[in-house]
Amino acid sequence: QVQLVESGGGLVQAGGSLRLSCAASGRTLSSYDMGWFRQAPGKERAFVARINSSGGSTYFAESVKGRFTISRDNAKNTVYLQMSSLKPEDTAVYYCAAARSGYGRSWYANYDYWGQGTQVTVSS
């Protein structure tokens, strides 16, 4: 059992930056691949970024490449999503998720645990 809590969302102007955090409890995240997903109203849940359990491999959705960075600090049991050059189309609820090591992919069904989400709103 892993509990995940996202934080760091808010309102930001286009071109600005936000750093989202996902803090875990119940289990150490060193055993998990981690992903970030987002969902806008009326839209399906979409993959944003993932990072493997050791932090040595990352993957990003094409729409955020060059703008977003995913990282993790296993000692702090926390995963981050650094977002820069934000666009209005980035507006969504952002969720972090955990999958057993080796199972993290760009498909949300691969993930076993989810946070409650944090709202990111980008104004033009």
Side-chain angles (χ1 to χ4, degrees):
Q1 190 77 23
V2 177
Q3 294 80 45
L4 303 173
V5 179
E6 302 97 334
S7 62
L11 176 64
V12 64
Q13 292 185 343
S17 299
L18 282 175
R19 187 196 196 197
L20 305 183
S21 298
C22 176
S25 62
R27 297 287 189 277
T28 175
L29 288 188
S30 63
S31 299
Y32 294 87
D33 297 340
M34 299 296 297
W36 285 94
F37 294 78
R38 65 188 182 186
Q39 188 166 22
K43 304 287 187 178
E44 63 184 353
R45 185 169 14 181
F47 168 77
V48 176
R50 68 175 189 255
I51 187 168
N52 72 338
S53 59
S54 69
S57 181
T58 60
Y59 188 82
F60 299 89
E62 190 68 28
S63 60
V64 305
K65 284 182 179 178
R67 300 189 297 118
F68 290 13
T69 299
I70 187 170
S71 61
R72 66 192 301 158
D73 187 339
N74 285 343
K76 296 180 179 179
N77 230 26
T78 302
V79 178
Y80 305 96
L81 184 69
Q82 178 67 50
M83 306 183 293
S84 61
S85 301
L86 283 163
K87 305 174 181 179
E89 51 263 45
D90 295 318
T91 295
V93 177
Y94 284 70
Y95 299 90
C96 69
R100 297 302 304 270
S101 182
Y103 288 84
R105 298 292 187 272
S106 300
W107 174 241
Y108 64 81
N110 280 64
Y111 294 81
D112 303 299
Y113 304 103
W114 293 82
Q116 83 290 342
T118 185
Q119 177 71 46
V120 172
T121 302
V122 184
S123 62
S124 60

